[in-house]
Amino acid sequence: MLFGVGATKAGTSWLYRYLHEHPDCALPAVKEAHYWDTFDAERSQKQMQAFRIRLRELRDIKEDALEADRGWQVANMDRRINDMKALMKVLEGDRTRDLGYATWLLDRRPVRLVADITPNYATLPETTLSRMAQLAPTTKFIFLMRDPLDRLWSHIRMQARRQRQSHEIYAQKANNILHRIINRGQETHILERGDYPAIISRLRSAVPPDRLKIIFTEDMMGQDALSLLCEFLGISHVKPTFANPVHEGPQVVMLEKLRPKAQKLLNEHYTWVADNVGPLPLRWQENLARA
């Protein structure tokens, strides 16, 4: 069993797709289960509403596929709909001992690995991470780290794309969000998702070292790093069948007047990772040098 716990906009969609297509793995059709971050009643209700909206969208896609006689897509939608309905039943049921969740995740064809890839798990407290680690003796965790400035800007662009009104300019919206983060201390959840020192410290306290792997996103897609990843997971090394990256989103230029301030905001993350994880990839070094 594997938990992919982030970071947001650091390659978790790539990891999910790679494992989803891997012959040794069986991943649910729902990439982000949000089981472990929805024990709070308010968060649970919000996530259930999001799942209900997504369920309606999947049913609409299925109807279109039926009309167009695309049998392969109908079958795919049926699988995704059934997986989501089963997960929603788990979230609404008794979660005291996590048995419903474990059954939902493990009740698949015999394979070497099942996984829940939910980036928001990176924000969980140490107590919850420990509970996850105890779900099975072989439970493992992966945390992906992308260059802090690149991750921050990618997350901001995603936020701007989701929140943009029809009259707003996408690039301006994104840079306004960055301005508020730097100068007003707003949208703190975006920084929280990429707070590598805090996240890694919690993970290392909760998860045995032989069951935790921290990976630089910039290295992950190379064959050497991918081979080490597969070895860690106990699965065969298979080359990916798709290009990189996944869900990158439209490119928008960060205003040059904001870049130095954003970099300064993140400088301690570069230093901490270099001191506590390992040598920084070239992309990290390049951004740090521009500070």
Side-chain angles (χ1 to χ4, degrees):
M1 180 181 296
L2 168 69
F3 290 116
V5 296
T8 300
K9 306 306 294 180
T12 58
S13 292
W14 187 95
L15 177 63
Y16 171 83
R17 184 170 177 183
Y18 176 74
L19 296 177
H20 190 271
E21 295 183 359
H22 197 290
D24 294 340
C25 306
L27 270 66
V30 183
K31 181 209 165 198
E32 299 184 21
H34 287 286
Y35 176 83
W36 299 98
D37 58 349
T38 55
F39 285 96
D40 175 80
E42 183 178 349
R43 290 187 178 183
S44 179
Q45 291 173 6
K46 184 177 180 180
Q47 187 59 51
M48 288 296 294
Q49 181 60 23
F51 279 152
R52 291 187 189 101
I53 293 171
R54 184 55 181 154
L55 201 55
R56 288 197 293 270
E57 294 172 347
L58 294 175
R59 285 168 173 159
D60 288 343
I61 295 172
K62 178 184 174 181
E63 289 301 315
D64 291 341
L66 281 168
E67 291 181 8
D69 197 27
R70 294 192 295 268
W72 62 270
Q73 192 174 24
V74 172
N76 183 36
M77 288 303 107
D78 277 337
R79 183 176 64 87
R80 295 174 68 177
I81 289 169
N82 291 336
D83 236 359
M84 182 164 287
K85 288 169 63 178
L87 174 60
M88 292 170 69
K89 186 176 181 180
V90 169
L91 295 182
E92 290 179 315
D94 181 9
R95 300 168 67 173
T96 306
R97 298 176 60 195
D98 309 314
L99 294 178
Y101 168 78
T103 300
W104 174 78
L105 193 60
L106 294 167
D107 190 19
R108 303 174 191 279
R109 61 184 175 84
V111 290
R112 295 183 185 177
L113 184 73
V114 296
D116 175 358
I117 312 292
T118 304
N120 197 48
Y121 291 166
T123 65
L124 293 172
E126 184 182 330
T127 52
T128 305
L129 293 169
S130 296
R131 179 172 167 179
M132 294 164 67
Q134 294 166 14
L135 192 62
T138 57
T139 299
K140 294 183 178 181
F141 290 71
I142 285 180
F143 181 67
L144 305 179
M145 290 190 306
R146 182 180 181 181
D147 170 80
L149 187 62
D150 289 344
R151 193 218 68 83
L152 173 67
W153 186 233
S154 182
H155 196 160
I156 287 172
R157 295 192 338 256
M158 178 180 70
Q159 184 98 335
R161 189 168 64 252
R162 290 177 175 177
Q163 295 180 348
R164 185 176 69 91
Q165 303 297 313
S166 59
H167 66 279
E168 293 180 307
I169 299 172
Y170 177 37
Q172 185 177 13
K173 179 84 171 180
N175 279 287
N176 285 344
I177 293 173
L178 179 58
H179 174 84
R180 292 197 299 270
I181 290 173
I182 294 171
N183 296 300
R184 300 181 187 173
Q186 298 177 353
E187 274 99 348
T188 56
H189 68 282
I190 295 178
L191 291 175
E192 182 185 7
R193 298 286 193 94
D195 188 349
Y196 298 153
I199 293 168
I200 293 172
S201 295
R202 290 196 300 269
L203 284 167
R204 284 177 169 172
S205 295
V207 182
D210 62 326
R211 293 199 271 145
L212 171 64
K213 192 166 188 64
I214 300 168
I215 304 173
F216 289 106
T217 302
E218 293 79 5
D219 296 338
M220 176 178 63
M221 299 164 196
Q223 290 304 309
D224 290 343
L226 191 57
S227 179
L228 292 173
L229 169 65
C230 292
E231 182 180 348
F232 170 73
L233 296 176
I235 59 177
S236 56
H237 180 198
V238 176
K239 291 184 178 181
T241 61
F242 50 92
N244 309 325
V246 177
H247 298 162
E248 177 61 21
Q251 292 297 318
V252 173
V253 177
M254 183 188 301
L255 293 178
E256 282 302 317
K257 66 180 181 180
L258 295 177
R259 179 179 289 273
K261 295 180 180 179
Q263 187 69 60
K264 184 178 180 181
L265 189 67
L266 300 169
N267 274 352
E268 65 179 62
H269 293 187
Y270 288 84
T271 302
W272 190 93
V273 170
D275 291 342
N276 294 275
V277 179
L280 301 180
L282 179 61
R283 177 60 179 173
W284 292 53
Q285 296 177 40
E286 290 174 347
N287 272 340
L288 187 58
R290 296 174 65 181

